[in-house]
Amino acid sequence: MAALTPISRTPVSFYVPVVAAAGAVAGLFVGTAQGASLLGVVLGAVLLAAAAFVMTQIIKVESPSRWGLVVILAIVGFFLGGIPAMIIGGAFGWFFGWFSFWLYEGRYRARVAPYLTPGQVLWHFTFRVICGAILVFLITPILVVMPLSFNAEDFFTFTPEMLRFDPEGYSLKHYRDFLTNSDWQNALKNSVQIAPMATLLSVSFGTLAAIGLSQPHVPFRRAIMAILISPMIVPLIISAAGMYFFYSRIGLQGTYIGVVLAHAALGIPFVIITVTATLVGFDNSLTRAAANMGAGPVTTFFRVQMPLILPGVISGGLFAFITSFDEVVVVLFVGSAGQKTLPWQMFTGLREQISPTILAVATILVVVSIALLTVVEVLRRRSERLRGMSPA
Amino acid sequence: MTDNTANTASDGPMLAADGTTLKSSLNRALRRQKLRALMLIAPLLIFVLLTFIAPIADMLFRSVENQIVSETLPRTTAALADWDATGDTAPPEPVFKDLYEDMFIAKERKLHTRLGSRLNYELTGVSSLFRKSGRKVEDMGEVYQDQFEDLNKFWKKGENWNVLMGTSSWLAAQNAWDKASKTAQPTLEIKPEIAALLPQTAQMFTLFAEFVQVDENDNLAKEDPWAIVYSALYDDLTAGANVAGYSGEGAAELQEAAAAVSSFETVDFTAAFTKIDKDWASVDVWRTLQVYSPEFTAGYFLNAVDMQKTIDGPEMRPENEQLYLKLFVRTLFMSLVITGSCILLGYPVGFILANLPARTANLLMILVLLPFWTSLLVRTSAWKVMLQQQGVVNDTLVWLGVVADDSRLALINNQTGTIIAMTHILLPFMILPLYSVMKTIPPSYLRAAKSLGATNWTAFWRVYFPQSVPGIGAGSILVFILSIGYYITPEIVGGTTGTFISNRIAYHISSSLNWGLAAALGAILLAVVLGLYWAYDRIVGIDNVKLGG
């Protein structure tokens, strides 16, 4: 975005105290960690205010002064607490170098509307920091799991070796365990056998029904929709209980088919929702044109309609796949030991605290979901493009 | 139908190409279209009805079903219907005799322990009472068996009984049957004259024969009858069966027995049961039996709301036995807290995503969608790892000196753990609807409000916020529905104080095996969720559910 407001340098009396305040907060953390909070606050404020002044008024060039601060604080950090503290010190240096010049040159003002009062500008940035913190809250658990899965010890926490970035502290042993342990391998095999089958069922039935539901005149549309969506709304534990009771009556409890049917039922709402959403933008004159040119209903479906709604079908299928692949409550009840899936194995592991192999599996699953997320996103864009191409 | 000859457009209705009126032709086309749509939907609808709706219906059925009592103890429950439960005396002797018969048969079929554990949910101690009684009930009738056998060796042999009771054609077939042939045994046919003469004996012997032939698959010809058959014979004979008129096989022995029964030692079933356990003399057991005799009961539902069924109607359980209401309240309360924190955290993020330039917003959206797409188990395990006593959060806090090493925060296995983890897990479900609503609010409204003199707060509260309420509503209902039925996360990070009603349902299904209560708890939860779902449908419309932006 282009600059909204012309910027000008700010007076020393503005930015040095602000940097000092930020330095005090940083000093508070460092000081508390060293056991001297008050000293930390004072030292942090004074040192960083001085650094800001020196950088802006004496050195005056941004890049070298910022790197200088990085090096100085990294060295201080190293002497205070070894390699982890050195990295934190370096990060602090980077931040304060940037922060000082950002305030000094008035760059903070460039991207906000010119009529804002200083209070509004302050709120604008505070608000962004709050949002940043919430986004960090959203992403941290996933980020913490990844490094921990390379732990050389059987702990669920960072060992001192890991914090020192000692190669000794890291290993692939949990991944090795996942790949060699027969429990995990069986679970993986079951998951891989169940999820695609369930996906296939829900996608094939779901696509047909979604096409039916998108016709202009469908009797009882609301009621049918409510029934078809219900597996997504009814709490899983209730679905699981009902399926457990009913499937054990008809002898499907504890069988592969039972689990596949249950998972297919759970995946159907996702297919219905995504495919009907795609069909909303579908131009029905295309099918009429195809029929006009002599194509039968089957040809029309496979050669005209299907290629256009394929992105929706695939993303619905991915949702159904993820639902089945991640599902644990229903399989816990409907399945037996022979259908133990990956999430089930993780669940048992978490309850009994067996090993950090769970974290290795979790990391693999995160990577898989990133891949799936990318596919869905690409498909969504493609679908939008296709829709844009078709006459409105 | 229209007259086909009237084909001029000026008079008569407008006609389609095939000669029918345009109206009926259009109607037919519409009907065909409807039918085609239904045909496309039908396979899935049937699939969902069979694999999903039927199980739910089955669960609802189980929450009121109570046939086990009247099926296992048919005679007793029938006899108990007339008993006055408000008095303080146990039922009369005939009821005890019915109980003996029911119990004997149930014991042979090994059903009495099941019934015992069923009734134990209502009155503690019934399970062991039934098990104990089941063990001893066999000896009870042997008094008659011994006396018949002492009287004449004839009564000792199963073969003799078969000759006495069964028709000759059946007997021939039974004797010809070979176990190795793996075919079904010929079903017992009672002689009509015996059935008329000794009705109770015939009935008991039929039950016995069916049990031996079907349940056990033993050769009936080689099995000796149950003691209960002898007591039935005693009853028939003392009731004044006219054995003199009978002339078939075993007539002599029958007449001899008929003459002797009057001097037989009798069994006092009331005393016998009371000797097994004095609980049989107390009215509590009998009241429970009577209250739970009907085939359908509201008992499970009453249990699910901490009430119990008594002869005076439903009443609250004593304070120290109350559990479920508290659990329901806790579930609702924690779901509200989770929904509240999701609004609190989701609102700013939704706002900033909706107001940032598209490129940046899309990048930040990934941070929201990634957790949304990550396996639930992964996120739950991450929180378990982070919140432990020796976990990452506590380690960081100790390192910063915020908490002392010896007073680490208890963040897991309590309500805090459940709330933190579930807020994180459900937050995307709040952000996505908020984002899609906020995206439609033009930013110029806020600027207009400010230029008209509104303060920041007024502009937000009076102009922006009211327009974002639909997003809050949609997100809140979604998060609330999802959270009150959550099972996995509370189970792993909730400990004992942070669990939900769903954990109790799972416990009753897999551990305590009280399926009826599990079904009743589930039915109540389902009703709450469906109510909210209905509200969601009214407010947002189920067609408008969006997935992943």
Side-chain angles (χ1 to χ4, degrees):
Chain A
M1 195 163 69
L4 286 171
T5 315
I7 55 172
S8 58
R9 295 202 164 157
T10 52
V12 176
S13 61
F14 165 67
Y15 68 88
V16 170
V18 175
V19 175
V25 174
L28 174 70
F29 281 116
V30 179
T32 337
Q34 303 297 325
S37 321
L38 198 63
L39 186 68
V41 172
V42 175
L43 271 182
V46 170
L47 284 179
L48 286 163
F53 186 81
V54 169
M55 286 190 300
T56 50
Q57 298 296 324
I58 298 173
I59 309 180
K60 287 190 181 171
V61 211
E62 184 173 351
S63 198
S65 43
R66 195 197 289 186
W67 283 111
L69 195 62
V70 169
V71 171
I72 293 169
L73 288 188
I75 291 169
V76 172
F78 183 74
F79 282 110
L80 279 179
I83 293 182
M86 181 178 93
I87 288 170
I88 292 172
F92 270 143
W94 180 263
F95 172 76
F96 278 101
W98 167 81
F99 190 58
S100 304
F101 278 94
W102 188 64
L103 289 172
Y104 165 61
E105 291 185 345
R107 270 183 302 190
Y108 66 94
R109 206 69 171 77
R111 297 275 178 92
V112 296
Y115 49 80
L116 293 191
T117 60
Q120 284 172 330
V121 173
L122 180 65
W123 169 245
H124 175 86
F125 288 107
T126 318
F127 185 71
R128 293 194 166 201
V129 170
I130 294 172
C131 289
I134 297 170
L135 289 172
V136 166
F137 169 73
L138 268 173
I139 209 77
T140 312
I142 296 169
L143 293 186
V144 166
V145 162
M146 290 188 165
L148 275 182
S149 69
F150 296 99
N151 200 336
E153 304 289 332
D154 283 347
F155 296 146
F156 279 111
T157 188
F158 289 102
T159 56
E161 291 83 21
M162 293 183 87
L163 292 175
R164 264 190 269 118
F165 296 102
D166 190 343
E168 297 274 294
Y170 295 85
S171 88
L172 287 171
K173 69 178 217 182
H174 303 307
Y175 290 86
R176 245 189 323 272
D177 184 39
F178 170 64
L179 292 174
T180 49
N181 188 321
S182 63
D183 280 351
W184 285 104
Q185 284 306 301
N186 271 334
L188 178 66
K189 203 183 80 205
N190 283 328
S191 274
V192 168
Q193 278 174 352
I194 290 167
M197 207 53 211
T199 311
L200 191 71
L201 273 181
S202 36
V203 167
S204 44
F205 282 132
T207 308
L208 270 189
I211 292 173
L213 281 168
S214 305
Q215 309 275 321
H217 304 286
V218 185
F220 316 114
R221 188 169 188 280
R222 267 183 97 80
I224 291 175
M225 200 70 178
I227 291 177
L228 297 185
I229 301 288
S230 59
M232 194 172 80
I233 302 293
V234 173
L236 277 176
I237 186 73
I238 295 179
S239 316
M243 285 170 172
Y244 178 66
F245 296 147
F246 186 70
Y247 287 8
S248 40
R249 255 189 227 275
I250 57 176
L252 282 178
Q253 200 270 332
T255 62
Y256 170 71
I257 296 175
V259 178
V260 167
L261 289 181
H263 276 181
L266 293 181
I268 278 168
F270 298 97
V271 179
I272 293 279
I273 288 174
T274 45
V275 179
T276 40
T278 321
L279 282 167
V280 166
F282 183 76
D283 184 0
N284 268 316
S285 55
L286 291 176
T287 51
R288 281 199 290 274
N292 202 11
M293 289 188 267
V298 178
T299 318
T300 315
F301 176 74
F302 281 108
R303 301 286 297 276
V304 179
Q305 202 165 15
M306 199 60 190
L308 281 170
I309 63 168
L310 196 61
V313 174
I314 293 181
S315 45
L318 284 177
F319 269 109
F321 182 84
I322 278 281
T323 310
S324 165
F325 202 73
D326 264 4
E327 210 292 318
V328 55
V329 186
V330 168
V331 77
L332 214 53
F333 287 99
V334 174
S336 62
Q339 286 85 42
K340 202 166 200 176
T341 58
L342 218 44
W344 185 348
Q345 179 71 26
M346 287 178 80
F347 180 65
T348 344
L350 279 175
R351 274 219 292 210
E352 290 152 20
Q353 277 273 19
I354 40 168
S355 85
T357 307
I358 295 167
L359 300 185
V361 182
T363 308
I364 295 174
L365 289 183
V366 170
V367 173
V368 170
S369 46
I370 291 176
L372 289 182
L373 175 62
T374 319
V375 173
V376 171
E377 191 58 24
V378 168
L379 284 174
R380 197 176 61 85
R381 298 222 169 131
R382 184 183 123 90
S383 148
E384 272 172 9
R385 218 174 43 237
L386 281 177
R387 240 184 275 171
M389 263 156 56
S390 63
Chain B
M1 278 305 282
T2 331
D3 183 10
N4 272 352
T5 54
N7 56 358
T8 45
S10 51
D11 55 333
M14 218 194 258
L15 295 187
D18 59 351
T20 54
T21 56
L22 186 61
K23 197 175 164 201
S24 66
S25 171
L26 281 176
N27 272 340
R28 207 178 51 211
L30 185 65
R31 245 195 336 269
R32 205 177 292 153
Q33 214 173 14
K34 281 186 179 173
L35 203 65
R36 207 174 63 133
L38 281 185
M39 292 276 281
L40 284 169
I41 300 169
L44 182 70
L45 196 61
I46 293 168
F47 182 81
V48 171
L49 285 176
L50 284 182
T51 57
F52 188 79
I53 303 294
I56 299 288
D58 185 35
M59 187 196 76
L60 294 180
F61 174 67
R62 269 183 204 268
S63 66
V64 291
E65 173 209 46
N66 190 40
Q67 277 130 338
I68 181 168
V69 182
S70 50
E71 264 171 19
T72 320
L73 305 176
R75 297 167 194 79
T76 317
T77 48
L80 263 184
D82 303 329
W83 177 60
D84 173 26
T86 50
D88 49 8
T89 48
E93 171 73 9
V95 180
F96 275 97
K97 189 175 159 288
D98 287 332
L99 178 69
Y100 160 70
E101 288 170 1
D102 285 337
M103 197 66 125
F104 191 98
I105 295 165
K107 148 87 187 162
E108 292 297 334
R109 290 186 176 149
K110 299 190 175 60
L111 295 174
H112 67 298
T113 48
R114 257 182 57 202
L115 178 63
S117 24
R118 160 70 186 97
L119 289 173
N120 203 51
Y121 303 139
E122 315 300 343
L123 184 70
T124 325
V126 178
S127 180
S128 62
L129 176 67
F130 269 54
R131 213 172 303 126
K132 205 150 106 189
S133 310
R135 273 200 305 272
K136 299 201 176 149
V137 80
E138 278 189 333
D139 311 339
M140 227 182 263
E142 279 177 7
V143 177
Y144 294 119
Q145 185 174 2
D146 292 346
Q147 292 184 87
F148 275 110
E149 287 173 357
D150 289 345
L151 187 67
N152 193 326
K153 287 259 186 301
F154 172 84
W155 300 111
K156 248 186 186 162
K157 289 270 191 177
E159 291 96 321
N160 295 340
W161 275 95
N162 289 340
V163 172
L164 171 67
M165 306 298 290
T167 59
S168 50
S169 58
W170 166 77
L171 198 61
Q174 177 70 33
N175 286 335
W177 180 76
D178 179 17
K179 191 165 185 176
S181 71
K182 301 232 162 131
T183 51
Q185 296 184 48
T187 315
L188 169 72
E189 291 165 26
I190 299 273
K191 283 184 213 158
E193 59 268 34
I194 286 284
L197 185 69
L198 307 169
Q200 294 186 55
T201 319
Q203 194 197 359
M204 285 303 163
F205 195 76
T206 315
L207 279 174
F208 158 72
E210 191 192 328
F211 176 78
V212 170
Q213 289 184 320
V214 179
D215 293 20
E216 302 270 275
N217 198 20
D218 286 331
N219 193 342
L220 182 60
K222 291 181 184 151
E223 294 288 317
D224 294 341
W226 292 337
I228 199 171
V229 178
Y230 292 91
S231 51
L233 179 62
Y234 172 79
D235 287 339
D236 276 332
L237 293 178
T238 47
N242 181 19
V243 286
Y246 172 70
S247 55
E249 295 87 346
E253 287 82 359
L254 212 52
Q255 277 158 20
E256 176 196 11
V261 283
S262 55
S263 58
F264 271 14
E265 180 196 341
T266 57
V267 181
D268 180 359
F269 288 107
T270 314
F273 270 105
T274 318
K275 205 178 131 208
I276 294 174
D277 197 306
K278 61 179 181 339
D279 278 355
W280 283 116
S282 87
V283 280
D284 284 348
V285 175
W286 291 102
R287 276 185 188 154
T288 312
L289 266 178
Q290 193 194 38
V291 165
Y292 288 94
S293 295
E295 293 197 347
F296 296 97
T297 176
Y300 291 121
F301 276 101
L302 292 176
N303 271 344
V305 292
D306 286 330
M307 295 172 86
Q308 58 189 350
K309 225 175 159 177
T310 62
I311 45 163
D312 310 322
E315 62 181 41
M316 291 306 288
R317 277 178 189 275
E319 200 72 34
N320 56 356
E321 285 175 27
Q322 293 189 4
L323 169 68
Y324 298 107
L325 277 185
K326 232 169 69 191
L327 208 53
F328 270 115
V329 170
R330 186 207 283 166
T331 305
L332 291 180
F333 170 74
M334 286 180 62
S335 301
L336 277 179
V337 172
I338 290 163
T339 313
S341 15
C342 279
I343 296 176
L344 219 61
L345 296 182
Y347 200 89
V349 175
F351 180 86
I352 208 154
L353 286 177
N355 287 292
L356 278 176
R359 279 185 70 89
T360 331
N362 277 342
L363 272 178
L364 291 184
M365 197 53 145
I366 292 175
L367 297 186
V368 178
L369 289 182
L370 186 60
F372 181 72
W373 273 88
T374 312
S375 164
L376 170 69
L377 258 301
V378 172
R379 286 180 283 164
T380 309
S381 35
W383 281 112
K384 177 143 185 158
V385 169
M386 293 188 33
L387 295 177
Q388 288 176 85
Q389 291 266 302
Q390 304 297 324
V392 177
V393 171
N394 263 317
D395 276 355
T396 316
L397 290 178
V398 167
W399 184 68
L400 287 175
V402 179
V403 298
D405 198 10
D406 51 358
S407 61
R408 285 167 176 258
L409 303 177
L411 294 171
I412 204 167
N413 296 334
N414 53 26
Q415 299 198 359
T416 324
T418 310
I419 290 174
I420 295 179
M422 281 184 59
T423 303
H424 173 257
I425 286 167
L426 297 175
L427 192 51
F429 291 95
M430 179 64 85
I431 294 178
L432 294 176
L434 270 175
Y435 169 71
S436 60
V437 168
M438 286 171 165
K439 196 82 189 145
T440 64
I441 305 174
S444 54
Y445 285 13
L446 262 184
R447 289 204 289 271
K450 281 183 192 168
S451 79
L452 289 171
T455 60
N456 293 329
W457 173 249
T458 318
F460 167 74
W461 185 245
R462 301 283 300 276
V463 176
Y464 195 89
F465 183 77
Q467 297 187 76
S468 64
V469 164
I472 298 182
S476 305
I477 295 185
L478 197 59
V479 168
F480 194 79
I481 287 181
L482 287 171
S483 69
I484 63 173
Y486 241 63
Y487 167 63
I488 293 296
T489 310
E491 180 76 20
I492 289 175
V493 297
T496 48
T497 57
T499 49
F500 282 8
I501 196 73
S502 36
N503 302 88
R504 202 69 200 170
I505 296 177
Y507 164 78
H508 280 306
I509 295 174
S510 48
S511 304
S512 86
L513 303 182
N514 190 350
W515 288 6
L517 183 56
L521 289 171
I524 295 175
L525 185 60
L526 183 65
V528 174
V529 169
L530 288 185
L532 289 167
Y533 175 49
W534 177 80
Y536 186 85
D537 195 23
R538 293 297 297 268
I539 296 170
V540 193
I542 196 66
D543 295 6
N544 295 339
V545 180
K546 294 231 168 51
L547 298 164

